[in-house]
Amino acid sequence: MTDILGVIGHPINHSMSPVFQQAALDHLGINKIFEKWEVTPENLEGKIKSFRNNSFIASCVTLPHKQNVIPLIDDLTDSAKSIGAVNWIYKNNNKLVGDNTDSTGFIRALTEKYNFIPEDKTALVFGAGGASRAIIFGLIKSGVKKIILSNRNFDKADIVSKELSTNKVKIEPIIYTRDSLANYAPYSDIIINTTSLGMAGGPAPMKTPITSDLISSTTFGYDIVYSPLITPFIKEFEKSGAEYGTGLSMLLYQGVEGIEKALNIKAPINVMQKALDAL
Ligand code: ATR
């Protein structure tokens, strides 16, 4: 039986992971298949049970399962524990181990693709969900100086701030109004959108959490939304003459980190990037 890897999510049709992961496996001559598994919340427990079969190697985990898989697996890495979300499951000595590479994937995208070094920088983050927690965790690990956190629901921002602040980095939750943002956005080195605003097929595809009048041309913008590639948020950075990074880079690097750990290999990043570009 061929060993398998895959991705679970619902809906999963749009997932680009199988394409760029299979390209990596084929390029390296690794005889394994990377599949796409449509798994509804009701079927999650059964699917995770099937991961205990011998042919299973690893799986990517995407929405809406990133938190719900936690009680169904055996162990968590430190990052998955701190972030409270899993985006990869590996089989390790017959145990299912949950990891979070969204965090390291984001930082590698920033540093390797865009040459933005978070150390000693001030970051403004929009959103307080699982993606936000992974990004904040990564920024803190990379030596960021200060994090400002803005979310529509202030209480959620407050909770994330309390849970993820460290002795060195205090996260400051702020309310999600134009007046409040005006005090912080123009002075931030990087502004990151982790909300679903601007996402095609999402709740608000035409919206952006910030407009160009509050963006300095020296601030770097990053949107984790990658469909469309140029989101309303990114367009505001273009208008300000500021540099920016697009979310496909985080998708790529979380996958690079995951496949490297799952198979103990060096991922062919250029091959994976090319496969993504061709989509
Ligand atoms: P993920 O795990 O991908 O981060 P999530 O936990 O559902 O997804 O979080 C989505 C984020 O997008 C939240 O910060 C949410 O804000 P609320 O906490 O106030 O719900 C934000 N979001 C979604 N729709 C929004 C909208 N129309 N305006 C502002 N923020 C929105």
Side-chain angles (χ1 to χ4, degrees):
M1 198 190 251
T2 314
D3 289 339
I4 49 167
L5 299 89
V7 52
I8 56 169
H10 175 67
I12 198 64
N13 237 343
H14 70 282
S15 174
M16 301 181 187
S17 293
V19 174
F20 74 88
Q21 294 292 9
Q22 194 65 56
L25 297 174
D26 295 348
H27 176 81
L28 295 172
I30 296 174
N31 183 25
K32 300 189 196 306
I33 305 174
F34 196 102
E35 297 187 336
K36 195 191 278 195
W37 297 312
E38 175 74 48
V39 178
T40 61
E42 300 77 56
N43 294 335
L44 184 62
E45 196 171 346
K47 186 69 190 174
I48 299 293
K49 261 194 194 136
S50 77
F51 287 175
R52 298 186 185 276
N53 293 342
N54 284 342
S55 57
F56 174 80
I57 305 274
S59 175
C60 254
V61 181
T62 186
L63 299 179
H65 303 314
K66 289 186 176 187
Q67 278 150 4
N68 297 340
V69 295
I70 292 176
L72 305 174
I73 57 181
D74 305 315
D75 225 337
L76 295 177
T77 60
D78 286 346
S79 63
K81 226 178 270 169
S82 306
I83 295 161
V86 161
N87 76 316
W88 272 86
I89 296 172
Y90 318 119
K91 175 93 69 59
N92 212 336
N93 294 327
N94 278 326
K95 285 197 164 167
L96 297 177
V97 180
D99 191 16
N100 192 305
T101 69
D102 281 333
S103 159
T104 41
F106 168 71
I107 297 297
R108 280 186 69 179
L110 266 192
T111 54
E112 291 180 32
K113 183 163 171 109
Y114 297 110
N115 215 11
F116 183 94
I117 310 299
E119 202 174 347
D120 286 329
K121 302 287 193 329
T122 296
L124 167 61
V125 177
F126 286 107
S132 164
R133 294 175 68 100
I135 279 172
I136 288 174
F137 185 78
L139 287 170
I140 290 177
K141 284 247 160 200
S142 311
V144 81
K145 185 168 73 188
K146 189 168 182 190
I147 296 176
I148 317 292
L149 180 56
S150 177
N151 193 50
R152 177 178 60 176
N153 176 340
F154 176 83
D155 291 348
K156 260 170 83 180
D158 198 37
I159 291 169
V160 171
S161 303
K162 291 202 166 92
E163 286 185 9
L164 293 185
S165 283
T166 61
N167 286 339
K168 256 186 103 188
V169 187
K170 294 275 165 272
I171 304 164
E172 186 178 343
I174 62 165
I175 53 172
Y176 182 63
T177 62
R178 200 183 175 289
D179 280 356
S180 165
L181 288 177
N183 291 324
Y184 297 94
Y187 316 106
S188 299
D189 298 304
I190 180 168
I191 301 179
I192 304 152
N193 177 40
T194 77
T195 75
S196 48
L197 292 183
M199 185 169 74
M206 307 307 286
K207 283 199 177 158
T208 167
I210 192 165
T211 46
S212 60
D213 50 316
L214 295 180
I215 299 170
S216 150
S217 63
T218 56
T219 299
F220 188 82
Y222 192 93
D223 199 342
I224 70 160
V225 174
Y226 55 79
S227 174
L229 195 60
I230 303 299
T231 58
F233 174 84
I234 293 297
K235 282 186 184 154
E236 298 300 322
F237 283 80
E238 280 182 333
K239 263 191 227 163
S240 306
E243 289 182 26
Y244 57 83
T246 59
L248 272 188
S249 54
M250 179 172 162
L251 176 75
L252 171 71
Y253 278 96
Q254 67 71 31
V256 164
E257 292 266 301
I259 200 82
E260 286 186 342
K261 290 193 197 169
L263 297 175
N264 205 11
I265 53 159
K266 185 97 195 87
I269 299 178
N270 292 342
V271 171
M272 296 163 85
Q273 174 81 63
K274 264 195 198 133
L276 260 183
D277 291 343
L279 285 173

